[in-house]
Amino acid sequence: SQQGEEDPQALSIQEGENATMNCSYKTSINNLQWYRQNSGRGLVHLILIRSNEREKHSGRLRVTLDTSKKSSSLLITASRAADTASYFCATDADFAGGTSYGKLTFGQGTILTVHP
Amino acid sequence: SAVISQKPSRDICQRGTSLTIQCQVDSQVTMMFWYRQQPGQSLTLIATANQGSEATYESGFVIDKFPISRPNLTFSTLTVSNMSPEDSSIYLCSVLGGRREETPLYYGYTFGSGTRLTVV
């Protein structure tokens, strides 16, 4: 079943602007991950934030996690036309014994279009 | 991180036939995962494939429809059997991004490039 809900479903911005996407989830998680998918191809892992982290940065990406609200946001700063893609959040559920069972649950995704 | 080669990248098949999708990983991995992405939708986990044991299927997916093989630690196949137009989707395999001994806490997952299947 789909756990995450993302908003907006679609986002259209100009190059140089910032893009913010939000994700909500329902159950306890071990970590939350963001992925990018270009034109229905394979997914590329962008960033992972653990349940005990609140914010993480990677290049132009900034991710926040609020476990009390069961929500996360992905900020892409200074966007480029090459950032045009679908972005998905995915949650990795709580697991025991230090081993993940890989049952990622994906949100519905946000389609980002960056106009040159 | 692991690199996955997935084949075929796309195919158009007649209803009632079967298609086998292959994923080859450049390193040994304990678990491989198969996902389906229906048109305009998100990804749904089909099954988890462990080497040397039967695959574990998620609710709504059955072995007769999606048989999986996992003959060794670097290779897996997913077959979509007796296809109908409703099976038209992108199918993706996935593995942990880090080394086998490591948890995904720091690496996320690596995905194959996907197989776009159209059933006519």
Side-chain angles (χ1 to χ4, degrees):
Chain A
S1 61
Q2 299 301 320
Q3 162 152 257
E5 294 184 3
E6 295 183 56
D7 75 272
Q9 290 187 333
L11 181 60
S12 182
I13 60 174
Q14 295 296 126
E15 219 169 18
E17 295 180 341
N18 295 340
T20 299
M21 289 160 269
N22 303 296
C23 168
S24 62
Y25 58 91
K26 298 176 182 176
T27 63
S28 296
I29 63 171
N30 179 273
N31 63 70
L32 185 144
Q33 304 170 36
W34 287 89
Y35 290 84
R36 183 184 73 217
Q37 184 179 39
N38 290 84
S39 301
R41 303 292 303 278
L43 273 71
V44 174
H45 178 256
L46 295 176
I47 194 167
L48 179 152
I49 186 166
R50 288 174 286 172
S51 59
N52 61 353
E53 297 176 318
R54 293 296 168 259
E55 186 171 315
K56 202 164 184 179
H57 298 256
S58 177
R60 293 185 295 114
L61 305 180
R62 173 178 171 259
V63 170
T64 62
L65 179 65
D66 187 334
T67 53
S68 66
K69 296 181 179 179
K70 291 186 167 58
S71 66
S72 174
S73 68
L74 171 68
L75 169 66
I76 304 174
T77 60
S79 63
R80 307 165 182 168
D83 294 328
T84 295
S86 294
Y87 291 82
F88 294 91
C89 67
T91 52
D92 213 349
D94 267 347
F95 56 81
T99 302
S100 169
Y101 298 98
K103 293 187 177 183
L104 290 182
T105 303
F106 283 84
Q108 291 302 308
T110 294
I111 301 172
L112 173 65
T113 302
V114 182
H115 300 280
Chain B
S1 62
V3 176
I4 302 176
S5 173
Q6 184 172 345
K7 298 178 182 179
S9 59
R10 59 177 61 226
D11 208 341
I12 301 173
C13 300
Q14 297 292 321
R15 67 177 66 201
T17 63
S18 298
L19 175 71
T20 296
I21 302 166
Q22 302 179 0
C23 276
Q24 178 76 51
V25 189
D26 68 344
S27 58
Q28 293 184 337
V29 293
T30 305
M31 292 184 286
M32 294 181 71
F33 310 95
W34 288 96
Y35 288 85
R36 181 178 73 181
Q37 185 179 25
Q38 294 177 300
Q41 301 295 313
S42 188
L43 283 77
T44 301
L45 181 65
I46 298 172
T48 301
N50 292 328
Q51 193 268 336
S53 63
E54 292 287 330
T56 303
Y57 289 82
E58 298 300 304
S59 175
F61 298 96
V62 295
I63 187 172
D64 289 346
K65 177 66 176 177
F66 298 101
I68 288 172
S69 77
R70 185 78 202 276
N72 56 54
L73 290 171
T74 64
F75 187 79
S76 180
T77 67
L78 170 75
T79 299
V80 186
S81 303
N82 189 25
M83 290 184 286
S84 66
E86 291 71 35
D87 294 319
S88 297
S89 297
I90 298 172
Y91 293 85
L92 302 103
C93 60
S94 171
V95 301
L96 295 180
R99 291 181 294 128
R100 181 182 174 191
E101 295 81 4
E102 295 173 357
T103 75
L105 291 180
Y106 304 97
Y107 296 96
Y109 293 82
T110 298
F111 283 80
S113 55
T115 297
R116 185 182 293 272
L117 170 63
T118 302
V119 183
V120 298

